[in-house]
Amino acid sequence: MMSTRTSEQAAKKLGIMMSSRSSSNGQAAKRLIIRNLKVAPRNEEDNFLSLWKHIDEAVRAIHESRPVSMSLELLYQSVENICAEKKSSMLYSALRQLCEEHIRREVPKLTLEMNDQIEYLKLLNRHWEDHCSHMVMICQIFLPLDRGYVLNNPLILSIWDLGLDLFKNYIIINKTVQTRCISGLLTLIDSERSGELIDRSLVKSLLTMLYKLQLYQPIFETEFIKSSEKLYSHEGESLLQTFEIPEYLKHVEKRLNEENNRLLHYLHPSTRQPLINCVERNLIGEHVNTILQKGFDNLMDDKRLDDLKLLYNLLSRFLNGVEQLKNFYSQYIKKRGRDIVINPEKDNTMIQELLDFKEKLDLISECWNNNEKFTHALKDSFEHFINQRSNKPAELIAKYIDTKLRAGNKEATEEELDKILDKIMVLFRFIHGKDVFEAFYKKDLAKRLLVGKSASVDAEKSMLSKLKQECGGVFTLKLEGMFKDMELSKDVMSAFEQQLQIKTSLSIYVNVLTLTHWPSYTASNIILPPEMSQLQEKFTEFYKKKYSGRNLQWQPSLGHCLVKGHISPGNNKEFQLSLYQTLVLLLYNAKDDLSYEEIFESTKIEENELKRTLQSLACGKVPILTKSSKGVDVHSEDIFKFNKSFTHKLYRIRINQVQLKETQEENQSTNEKVFQDRQYQVDAAIVRIMKMRKSLPHNLLVTEVVGQLKFSIKPADIKKRIESLIERDYLARDEQNPNQYNYLA
Amino acid sequence: MKVTIKGYTGVAVWKWVANDDTCGICRMPFDSCCNDCKYPGDDCPLVWGQCSHCFHMHCIMKWVNGNQKSNQSCPMCRQAWKIKEK
Ligand SMILES: [Zn+2]
Ligand SMILES: [Zn+2]
Ligand SMILES: [Zn+2]
């Protein structure tokens, strides 16, 4: 009864088991079990021996790869019978012994002298494959043993595992076999690394064998990583000396791809981490500084986007890699940027170069994987170098904008102009001395507005709103005031013309300025022809009546005129002239030649201005006068003669003031103005702080002042301002402590 | 040569006609406006008192309205504050 139940259970298990392998076998197995029940127990010992005889013979045949004479069905039945007679343990030992003997006999075949490493690997692989296919057959025959005895005894190896265990302990653990196997594999992989094609399936099969025998990690991987380590540490050292960096980076990338490919095809996934780490560390990690030092600047100079991307990618695998890259990036920007701004001889091209440089850096930014640290590094480094040259970049940015906004600039459409202005605003953002910029911008804007040289009101307004957005309303308040004055002047002029009623042959237009909005101009008293001074007088009266409590101060240096010139019969021209140029030319209505002294006496134009004016009329592109002395300098003994043979292809001619000298002087006065303003701001800051704190020691006061100012200032200069304020009784030194100041209300 | 002027574009700067450079109340120069305003000119006019002192209109209004005891007196000379009609 007992045996029936176990047999039924065995049959059930077997059925389930078999169906997953092959259905025909399963059918056979079921039938066999049913017949098995009819077999009557005889002498147990005799029975085992007679059954084993067949089995023993079959197993030997399998081991020798001969055909098995008995059918597998019958063998299976015999095993099952032995198991049913509770002789499983005996059967297992007998099988074990049989297999062990066989494997022992195999060992000498694998330890024979053999020179060809690949042939040896093939031999070993063949043995392994044979072993596996033998064991599959043996397992099929001994299935009842596996399902019953082995399953119920946890300490007993399954038949398959028994096979592996024997193969491992007799063959692979054998020193000779192991050494040959591992060194063969490493040689094969090495030759693949040096570009040869190898039999990957052979490598894969042997590595799988090692893995199944649980020897992959201890005997292969350790050695493999060791040899990779040796190869790549040598490769890193030597290639860095011979390769250029882009070439080297490409090589590293290629190496990484190859190793990944190896992982995909034959290495076990567990090797990924140590292997990739080995390649990265030896080819990159150990040499970060050398790579950056040797190649980074060139990659940047040549805009090698792909290489830079690769560099970032490779360095990002190391703890400080990206940080080091970022430092080189900062240094690069500072170095190249400083070259652009520091040399006064390159001032003419500075802004264009800065714009190009920024554009290039923006382009390269895509290589940094949106890393915010690089965005900050770009900003900080740009800000750092651009302020290495104080004031000049601010001045040149203002002038660059002037050239773009000035009439006659054929630079494209409003849209394109707006783009240019946006770009220049980016540079502007980095500038510390915004007050210097403002002063120069204001001076140029004044010229554009007053001489009617502005290219477009829309562009001016758009620039103004950009500045407002960047620096706030206070910064642009005065600039907006300038536009306001221009609008107001229009209204005043139309009111003036209405009350004037009669049209005069000479028309007047006046721009009335609010002092604080505009750059400061020096007033001068010159002699105007009666016609003009009467008209000016009339306007002044009108203005004073319209705005009581106000007076007007005329600025002849900013005036300009439209003048008709009858040079000779049939040669008439129209001139766009400054007021000074006009006053000089008017003198030639009476005489054809005049001395410098005569001109000065009749106009009272200030000496420098007069010399410049005469230069523009006699030595410029439109020589309507001739000068008695050679050269461009004007001397007080010079005689100026009307140039009767004057011709010009245009009817309307603008005679420009001489620019160069004017610019230098103007620059100086603009810079002085900024300096003055800064002193006021320092004074105001000191007074503001002291009013609040009442009493402060020197150092604290200096720190607070520096914190409040928007430009950089030396402590020594602050000290000077403090002393000046003490002189003017705003502050006093404390009687007990001379380092302490007290506020005087 | 005969030269005739067709048009003249002049530039003039306007200034307040005041006895002083700065407003005695807010200490700002008259060329600038009072602290509450943005632009000098019509937005922030000046007023002259009969005592001949002159202030930003906004400043003297605040002074007169905000100071009960001394109201109606000029902050500079303490004479009664009366606007001088022009
Ligand atoms: Zn005031
Ligand atoms: Zn006001
Ligand atoms: Zn008064």
mmCIF file of all heavy atoms in Angstrom, chain A residues 499-538:
data_model
loop_
_atom_site.group_PDB
_atom_site.id
_atom_site.type_symbol
_atom_site.label_atom_id
_atom_site.label_comp_id
_atom_site.label_asym_id
_atom_site.label_seq_id
_atom_site.Cartn_x
_atom_site.Cartn_y
_atom_site.Cartn_z
ATOM 1 N N GLN A 499 2.858 132.420 -32.330
ATOM 2 C CA GLN A 499 2.822 133.821 -31.915
ATOM 3 C C GLN A 499 3.767 134.678 -32.757
ATOM 4 O O GLN A 499 3.649 135.878 -32.807
ATOM 5 C CB GLN A 499 3.095 133.955 -30.408
ATOM 6 C CG GLN A 499 4.493 133.595 -29.968
ATOM 7 C CD GLN A 499 5.385 134.798 -29.822
ATOM 8 O OE1 GLN A 499 5.056 135.740 -29.087
ATOM 9 N NE2 GLN A 499 6.505 134.783 -30.523
ATOM 10 N N LEU A 500 4.714 134.010 -33.466
ATOM 11 C CA LEU A 500 5.644 134.761 -34.310
ATOM 12 C C LEU A 500 4.920 135.315 -35.532
ATOM 13 O O LEU A 500 5.225 136.389 -36.028
ATOM 14 C CB LEU A 500 6.786 133.809 -34.733
ATOM 15 C CG LEU A 500 8.090 134.430 -35.210
ATOM 16 C CD1 LEU A 500 8.694 135.266 -34.088
ATOM 17 C CD2 LEU A 500 9.054 133.352 -35.657
ATOM 18 N N GLN A 501 3.921 134.576 -35.999
ATOM 19 C CA GLN A 501 3.056 134.931 -37.120
ATOM 20 C C GLN A 501 3.781 135.145 -38.436
ATOM 21 O O GLN A 501 3.648 134.349 -39.356
ATOM 22 C CB GLN A 501 2.177 136.130 -36.752
ATOM 23 C CG GLN A 501 1.004 135.665 -35.908
ATOM 24 C CD GLN A 501 0.275 136.757 -35.218
ATOM 25 O OE1 GLN A 501 0.602 137.932 -35.352
ATOM 26 N NE2 GLN A 501 -0.737 136.388 -34.465
ATOM 27 N N ILE A 502 4.585 136.168 -38.562
ATOM 28 C CA ILE A 502 5.263 136.389 -39.848
ATOM 29 C C ILE A 502 6.417 135.405 -40.025
ATOM 30 O O ILE A 502 7.168 135.137 -39.094
ATOM 31 C CB ILE A 502 5.848 137.829 -39.980
ATOM 32 C CG1 ILE A 502 6.048 138.410 -38.559
ATOM 33 C CG2 ILE A 502 4.966 138.711 -40.837
ATOM 34 C CD1 ILE A 502 7.110 139.410 -38.454
ATOM 35 N N LYS A 503 6.496 134.874 -41.204
ATOM 36 C CA LYS A 503 7.593 133.953 -41.525
ATOM 37 C C LYS A 503 8.850 134.762 -41.805
ATOM 38 O O LYS A 503 8.848 135.662 -42.628
ATOM 39 C CB LYS A 503 7.242 133.130 -42.773
ATOM 40 C CG LYS A 503 6.396 131.920 -42.444
ATOM 41 C CD LYS A 503 7.301 130.710 -42.233
ATOM 42 C CE LYS A 503 6.456 129.508 -41.843
ATOM 43 N NZ LYS A 503 7.221 128.462 -41.220
ATOM 44 N N THR A 504 9.934 134.436 -41.096
ATOM 45 C CA THR A 504 11.204 135.087 -41.390
ATOM 46 C C THR A 504 11.973 134.211 -42.371
ATOM 47 O O THR A 504 11.705 133.028 -42.478
ATOM 48 C CB THR A 504 12.046 135.252 -40.105
ATOM 49 O OG1 THR A 504 12.090 133.993 -39.454
ATOM 50 C CG2 THR A 504 11.464 136.309 -39.201
ATOM 51 N N SER A 505 12.926 134.836 -43.079
ATOM 52 C CA SER A 505 13.713 134.029 -44.032
ATOM 53 C C SER A 505 14.610 133.062 -43.276
ATOM 54 O O SER A 505 14.980 132.015 -43.770
ATOM 55 C CB SER A 505 14.562 134.945 -44.915
ATOM 56 O OG SER A 505 15.499 135.629 -44.106
ATOM 57 N N LEU A 506 14.964 133.421 -42.050
ATOM 58 C CA LEU A 506 15.780 132.532 -41.216
ATOM 59 C C LEU A 506 14.867 131.859 -40.192
ATOM 60 O O LEU A 506 14.203 132.533 -39.412
ATOM 61 C CB LEU A 506 16.853 133.358 -40.499
ATOM 62 C CG LEU A 506 17.580 132.714 -39.324
ATOM 63 C CD1 LEU A 506 18.300 131.457 -39.725
ATOM 64 C CD2 LEU A 506 18.546 133.702 -38.700
ATOM 65 N N SER A 507 14.807 130.554 -40.233
ATOM 66 C CA SER A 507 13.940 129.863 -39.273
ATOM 67 C C SER A 507 14.777 129.384 -38.094
ATOM 68 O O SER A 507 15.962 129.095 -38.231
ATOM 69 C CB SER A 507 13.239 128.682 -39.937
ATOM 70 O OG SER A 507 14.192 127.683 -40.208
ATOM 71 N N ILE A 508 14.124 129.320 -36.944
ATOM 72 C CA ILE A 508 14.852 128.885 -35.749
ATOM 73 C C ILE A 508 14.125 127.718 -35.103
ATOM 74 O O ILE A 508 12.895 127.618 -35.147
ATOM 75 C CB ILE A 508 15.011 130.059 -34.735
ATOM 76 C CG1 ILE A 508 15.944 129.625 -33.590
ATOM 77 C CG2 ILE A 508 13.660 130.521 -34.204
ATOM 78 C CD1 ILE A 508 16.331 130.785 -32.665
ATOM 79 N N TYR A 509 14.903 126.808 -34.572
ATOM 80 C CA TYR A 509 14.347 125.730 -33.767
ATOM 81 C C TYR A 509 15.229 125.631 -32.532
ATOM 82 O O TYR A 509 16.455 125.688 -32.623
ATOM 83 C CB TYR A 509 14.380 124.397 -34.525
ATOM 84 C CG TYR A 509 13.636 123.306 -33.789
ATOM 85 C CD1 TYR A 509 12.291 123.040 -34.067
ATOM 86 C CD2 TYR A 509 14.259 122.570 -32.789
ATOM 87 C CE1 TYR A 509 11.591 122.062 -33.378
ATOM 88 C CE2 TYR A 509 13.564 121.579 -32.089
ATOM 89 C CZ TYR A 509 12.239 121.332 -32.383
ATOM 90 O OH TYR A 509 11.543 120.389 -31.699
ATOM 91 N N VAL A 510 14.592 125.538 -31.357
ATOM 92 C CA VAL A 510 15.392 125.503 -30.141
ATOM 93 C C VAL A 510 15.086 124.249 -29.333
ATOM 94 O O VAL A 510 13.923 123.905 -29.127
ATOM 95 C CB VAL A 510 15.128 126.753 -29.262
ATOM 96 C CG1 VAL A 510 16.055 126.731 -28.046
ATOM 97 C CG2 VAL A 510 15.333 128.023 -30.063
ATOM 98 N N ASN A 511 16.118 123.553 -28.929
ATOM 99 C CA ASN A 511 15.957 122.460 -27.959
ATOM 100 C C ASN A 511 16.243 123.029 -26.577
ATOM 101 O O ASN A 511 17.359 123.488 -26.311
ATOM 102 C CB ASN A 511 16.928 121.319 -28.262
ATOM 103 C CG ASN A 511 16.498 120.532 -29.481
ATOM 104 O OD1 ASN A 511 15.353 120.088 -29.565
ATOM 105 N ND2 ASN A 511 17.401 120.388 -30.438
ATOM 106 N N VAL A 512 15.211 123.037 -25.732
ATOM 107 C CA VAL A 512 15.392 123.577 -24.389
ATOM 108 C C VAL A 512 15.660 122.416 -23.437
ATOM 109 O O VAL A 512 14.863 121.493 -23.327
ATOM 110 C CB VAL A 512 14.147 124.362 -23.935
ATOM 111 C CG1 VAL A 512 14.400 124.956 -22.553
ATOM 112 C CG2 VAL A 512 13.822 125.457 -24.936
ATOM 113 N N LEU A 513 16.810 122.481 -22.782
ATOM 114 C CA LEU A 513 17.233 121.359 -21.946
ATOM 115 C C LEU A 513 17.051 121.644 -20.459
ATOM 116 O O LEU A 513 17.221 122.776 -20.021
ATOM 117 C CB LEU A 513 18.716 121.052 -22.188
ATOM 118 C CG LEU A 513 19.212 121.018 -23.629
ATOM 119 C CD1 LEU A 513 20.694 120.617 -23.654
ATOM 120 C CD2 LEU A 513 18.380 120.054 -24.466
ATOM 121 N N THR A 514 16.722 120.596 -19.708
ATOM 122 C CA THR A 514 16.727 120.687 -18.251
ATOM 123 C C THR A 514 18.126 120.331 -17.785
ATOM 124 O O THR A 514 18.627 119.243 -18.092
ATOM 125 C CB THR A 514 15.710 119.694 -17.663
ATOM 126 O OG1 THR A 514 14.436 119.955 -18.239
ATOM 127 C CG2 THR A 514 15.627 119.821 -16.157
ATOM 128 N N LEU A 515 18.758 121.219 -17.075
ATOM 129 C CA LEU A 515 20.176 121.097 -16.733
ATOM 130 C C LEU A 515 20.588 119.703 -16.255
ATOM 131 O O LEU A 515 21.544 119.115 -16.747
ATOM 132 C CB LEU A 515 20.520 122.142 -15.664
ATOM 133 C CG LEU A 515 21.999 122.182 -15.253
ATOM 134 C CD1 LEU A 515 22.816 122.943 -16.266
ATOM 135 C CD2 LEU A 515 22.151 122.780 -13.867
ATOM 136 N N THR A 516 19.825 119.171 -15.282
ATOM 137 C CA THR A 516 20.291 117.936 -14.630
ATOM 138 C C THR A 516 20.168 116.703 -15.506
ATOM 139 O O THR A 516 20.760 115.677 -15.207
ATOM 140 C CB THR A 516 19.504 117.670 -13.329
ATOM 141 O OG1 THR A 516 18.114 117.762 -13.642
ATOM 142 C CG2 THR A 516 19.869 118.663 -12.267
ATOM 143 N N HIS A 517 19.359 116.771 -16.573
ATOM 144 C CA HIS A 517 19.214 115.576 -17.404
ATOM 145 C C HIS A 517 20.387 115.378 -18.352
ATOM 146 O O HIS A 517 20.655 114.276 -18.789
ATOM 147 C CB HIS A 517 17.941 115.668 -18.272
ATOM 148 C CG HIS A 517 16.698 115.758 -17.477
ATOM 149 N ND1 HIS A 517 15.498 116.166 -18.003
ATOM 150 C CD2 HIS A 517 16.451 115.504 -16.170
ATOM 151 C CE1 HIS A 517 14.578 116.155 -17.064
ATOM 152 N NE2 HIS A 517 15.129 115.761 -15.948
ATOM 153 N N TRP A 518 21.062 116.455 -18.684
ATOM 154 C CA TRP A 518 22.034 116.414 -19.781
ATOM 155 C C TRP A 518 23.450 116.470 -19.246
ATOM 156 O O TRP A 518 23.680 116.867 -18.114
ATOM 157 C CB TRP A 518 21.763 117.580 -20.742
ATOM 158 C CG TRP A 518 20.404 117.470 -21.371
ATOM 159 C CD1 TRP A 518 19.212 117.756 -20.766
ATOM 160 C CD2 TRP A 518 20.088 116.994 -22.669
ATOM 161 N NE1 TRP A 518 18.168 117.496 -21.613
ATOM 162 C CE2 TRP A 518 18.682 117.024 -22.802
ATOM 163 C CE3 TRP A 518 20.855 116.549 -23.743
ATOM 164 C CZ2 TRP A 518 18.029 116.623 -23.964
ATOM 165 C CZ3 TRP A 518 20.206 116.164 -24.910
ATOM 166 C CH2 TRP A 518 18.807 116.190 -25.012
ATOM 167 N N PRO A 519 24.398 116.109 -20.095
ATOM 168 C CA PRO A 519 25.788 116.299 -19.679
ATOM 169 C C PRO A 519 26.017 117.798 -19.466
ATOM 170 O O PRO A 519 25.311 118.609 -20.062
ATOM 171 C CB PRO A 519 26.595 115.813 -20.885
ATOM 172 C CG PRO A 519 25.657 115.044 -21.737
ATOM 173 C CD PRO A 519 24.300 115.550 -21.450
ATOM 174 N N SER A 520 26.987 118.134 -18.630
ATOM 175 C CA SER A 520 27.170 119.575 -18.413
ATOM 176 C C SER A 520 28.012 120.159 -19.540
ATOM 177 O O SER A 520 28.994 119.575 -19.972
ATOM 178 C CB SER A 520 27.829 119.816 -17.060
ATOM 179 O OG SER A 520 28.971 119.014 -16.954
ATOM 180 N N TYR A 521 27.549 121.275 -20.040
ATOM 181 C CA TYR A 521 28.255 121.967 -21.128
ATOM 182 C C TYR A 521 28.749 123.299 -20.596
ATOM 183 O O TYR A 521 28.095 123.935 -19.790
ATOM 184 C CB TYR A 521 27.305 122.212 -22.307
ATOM 185 C CG TYR A 521 26.690 120.942 -22.851
ATOM 186 C CD1 TYR A 521 25.330 120.677 -22.672
ATOM 187 C CD2 TYR A 521 27.463 120.014 -23.540
ATOM 188 C CE1 TYR A 521 24.763 119.514 -23.168
ATOM 189 C CE2 TYR A 521 26.905 118.850 -24.034
ATOM 190 C CZ TYR A 521 25.550 118.600 -23.859
ATOM 191 O OH TYR A 521 25.002 117.455 -24.345
ATOM 192 N N THR A 522 29.926 123.695 -21.098
ATOM 193 C CA THR A 522 30.407 125.003 -20.645
ATOM 194 C C THR A 522 29.781 126.094 -21.513
ATOM 195 O O THR A 522 29.710 125.974 -22.742
ATOM 196 C CB THR A 522 31.944 125.099 -20.744
ATOM 197 O OG1 THR A 522 32.330 124.530 -22.010
ATOM 198 C CG2 THR A 522 32.611 124.327 -19.634
ATOM 199 N N ALA A 523 29.304 127.126 -20.841
ATOM 200 C CA ALA A 523 28.698 128.245 -21.573
ATOM 201 C C ALA A 523 29.812 129.129 -22.117
ATOM 202 O O ALA A 523 30.903 129.185 -21.566
ATOM 203 C CB ALA A 523 27.806 129.039 -20.637
ATOM 204 N N SER A 524 29.564 129.763 -23.239
ATOM 205 C CA SER A 524 30.575 130.696 -23.752
ATOM 206 C C SER A 524 29.875 131.863 -24.443
ATOM 207 O O SER A 524 28.759 131.719 -24.946
ATOM 208 C CB SER A 524 31.509 129.983 -24.725
ATOM 209 O OG SER A 524 30.762 129.505 -25.816
ATOM 210 N N ASN A 525 30.522 133.003 -24.402
ATOM 211 C CA ASN A 525 29.935 134.181 -25.043
ATOM 212 C C ASN A 525 30.591 134.390 -26.388
ATOM 213 O O ASN A 525 31.769 134.677 -26.489
ATOM 214 C CB ASN A 525 30.149 135.416 -24.167
ATOM 215 C CG ASN A 525 29.252 135.340 -22.951
ATOM 216 O OD1 ASN A 525 28.057 135.059 -23.068
ATOM 217 N ND2 ASN A 525 29.844 135.557 -21.787
ATOM 218 N N ILE A 526 29.806 134.259 -27.413
ATOM 219 C CA ILE A 526 30.347 134.459 -28.748
ATOM 220 C C ILE A 526 29.551 135.569 -29.426
ATOM 221 O O ILE A 526 28.495 135.981 -28.934
ATOM 222 C CB ILE A 526 30.242 133.168 -29.582
ATOM 223 C CG1 ILE A 526 28.802 132.623 -29.519
ATOM 224 C CG2 ILE A 526 31.209 132.113 -29.096
ATOM 225 C CD1 ILE A 526 28.419 131.909 -30.750
ATOM 226 N N ILE A 527 30.073 136.024 -30.531
ATOM 227 C CA ILE A 527 29.372 137.091 -31.253
ATOM 228 C C ILE A 527 28.548 136.476 -32.363
ATOM 229 O O ILE A 527 29.066 135.795 -33.240
ATOM 230 C CB ILE A 527 30.372 138.109 -31.835
ATOM 231 C CG1 ILE A 527 31.196 138.706 -30.694
ATOM 232 C CG2 ILE A 527 29.632 139.184 -32.624
ATOM 233 C CD1 ILE A 527 32.341 139.571 -31.185
ATOM 234 N N LEU A 528 27.236 136.678 -32.264
ATOM 235 C CA LEU A 528 26.338 136.183 -33.293
ATOM 236 C C LEU A 528 26.016 137.307 -34.250
ATOM 237 O O LEU A 528 25.991 138.475 -33.847
ATOM 238 C CB LEU A 528 25.032 135.696 -32.660
ATOM 239 C CG LEU A 528 25.016 134.376 -31.887
ATOM 240 C CD1 LEU A 528 23.624 134.135 -31.340
ATOM 241 C CD2 LEU A 528 25.454 133.226 -32.763
ATOM 242 N N PRO A 529 25.738 137.017 -35.495
ATOM 243 C CA PRO A 529 25.254 138.079 -36.381
ATOM 244 C C PRO A 529 23.912 138.608 -35.853
ATOM 245 O O PRO A 529 23.154 137.831 -35.270
ATOM 246 C CB PRO A 529 25.091 137.382 -37.727
ATOM 247 C CG PRO A 529 25.157 135.927 -37.468
ATOM 248 C CD PRO A 529 25.850 135.721 -36.179
ATOM 249 N N PRO A 530 23.634 139.899 -36.056
ATOM 250 C CA PRO A 530 22.443 140.535 -35.440
ATOM 251 C C PRO A 530 21.155 139.775 -35.739
ATOM 252 O O PRO A 530 20.345 139.571 -34.845
ATOM 253 C CB PRO A 530 22.409 141.929 -36.079
ATOM 254 C CG PRO A 530 23.660 142.083 -36.852
ATOM 255 C CD PRO A 530 24.427 140.815 -36.846
ATOM 256 N N GLU A 531 21.043 139.316 -36.953
ATOM 257 C CA GLU A 531 19.855 138.582 -37.359
ATOM 258 C C GLU A 531 19.589 137.387 -36.424
ATOM 259 O O GLU A 531 18.463 137.162 -35.977
ATOM 260 C CB GLU A 531 20.128 138.066 -38.775
ATOM 261 C CG GLU A 531 18.932 137.670 -39.558
ATOM 262 C CD GLU A 531 19.345 136.979 -40.861
ATOM 263 O OE1 GLU A 531 20.565 136.724 -41.060
ATOM 264 O OE2 GLU A 531 18.449 136.672 -41.650
ATOM 265 N N MET A 532 20.642 136.665 -36.112
ATOM 266 C CA MET A 532 20.498 135.477 -35.277
ATOM 267 C C MET A 532 20.274 135.834 -33.829
ATOM 268 O O MET A 532 19.442 135.227 -33.147
ATOM 269 C CB MET A 532 21.755 134.607 -35.360
ATOM 270 C CG MET A 532 21.873 133.836 -36.648
ATOM 271 S SD MET A 532 23.384 132.868 -36.651
ATOM 272 C CE MET A 532 22.768 131.322 -36.017
ATOM 273 N N SER A 533 21.033 136.842 -33.347
ATOM 274 C CA SER A 533 20.898 137.152 -31.927
ATOM 275 C C SER A 533 19.519 137.748 -31.642
ATOM 276 O O SER A 533 18.943 137.519 -30.580
ATOM 277 C CB SER A 533 22.032 138.060 -31.449
ATOM 278 O OG SER A 533 21.959 139.296 -32.090
ATOM 279 N N GLN A 534 18.971 138.495 -32.615
ATOM 280 C CA GLN A 534 17.612 139.012 -32.408
ATOM 281 C C GLN A 534 16.604 137.869 -32.289
ATOM 282 O O GLN A 534 15.723 137.886 -31.429
ATOM 283 C CB GLN A 534 17.212 139.919 -33.586
ATOM 284 C CG GLN A 534 17.730 141.339 -33.445
ATOM 285 C CD GLN A 534 17.736 142.070 -34.777
ATOM 286 O OE1 GLN A 534 17.022 141.675 -35.709
ATOM 287 N NE2 GLN A 534 18.531 143.118 -34.859
ATOM 288 N N LEU A 535 16.766 136.898 -33.173
ATOM 289 C CA LEU A 535 15.851 135.757 -33.153
ATOM 290 C C LEU A 535 15.966 135.000 -31.821
ATOM 291 O O LEU A 535 14.966 134.617 -31.209
ATOM 292 C CB LEU A 535 16.200 134.832 -34.318
ATOM 293 C CG LEU A 535 15.086 133.961 -34.882
ATOM 294 C CD1 LEU A 535 13.834 134.760 -35.187
ATOM 295 C CD2 LEU A 535 15.580 133.233 -36.127
ATOM 296 N N GLN A 536 17.208 134.827 -31.368
ATOM 297 C CA GLN A 536 17.434 134.154 -30.084
ATOM 298 C C GLN A 536 16.779 134.924 -28.953
ATOM 299 O O GLN A 536 16.152 134.352 -28.069
ATOM 300 C CB GLN A 536 18.945 134.080 -29.818
ATOM 301 C CG GLN A 536 19.481 132.691 -29.936
ATOM 302 C CD GLN A 536 20.940 132.570 -29.509
ATOM 303 O OE1 GLN A 536 21.684 131.843 -30.126
ATOM 304 N NE2 GLN A 536 21.358 133.280 -28.482
ATOM 305 N N GLU A 537 16.944 136.248 -29.028
ATOM 306 C CA GLU A 537 16.382 137.133 -28.008
ATOM 307 C C GLU A 537 14.865 136.990 -27.947
ATOM 308 O O GLU A 537 14.269 136.866 -26.881
ATOM 309 C CB GLU A 537 16.778 138.583 -28.343
ATOM 310 C CG GLU A 537 16.965 139.486 -27.148
ATOM 311 C CD GLU A 537 17.727 138.798 -25.998
ATOM 312 O OE1 GLU A 537 18.834 138.233 -26.237
ATOM 313 O OE2 GLU A 537 17.185 138.810 -24.889
ATOM 314 N N LYS A 538 14.275 136.971 -29.150
ATOM 315 C CA LYS A 538 12.822 136.865 -29.253
ATOM 316 C C LYS A 538 12.341 135.582 -28.584
ATOM 317 O O LYS A 538 11.357 135.549 -27.865
ATOM 318 C CB LYS A 538 12.417 136.836 -30.740
ATOM 319 C CG LYS A 538 11.520 137.990 -31.142
ATOM 320 C CD LYS A 538 11.104 137.826 -32.594
ATOM 321 C CE LYS A 538 11.029 139.188 -33.261
ATOM 322 N NZ LYS A 538 10.943 139.097 -34.710
#
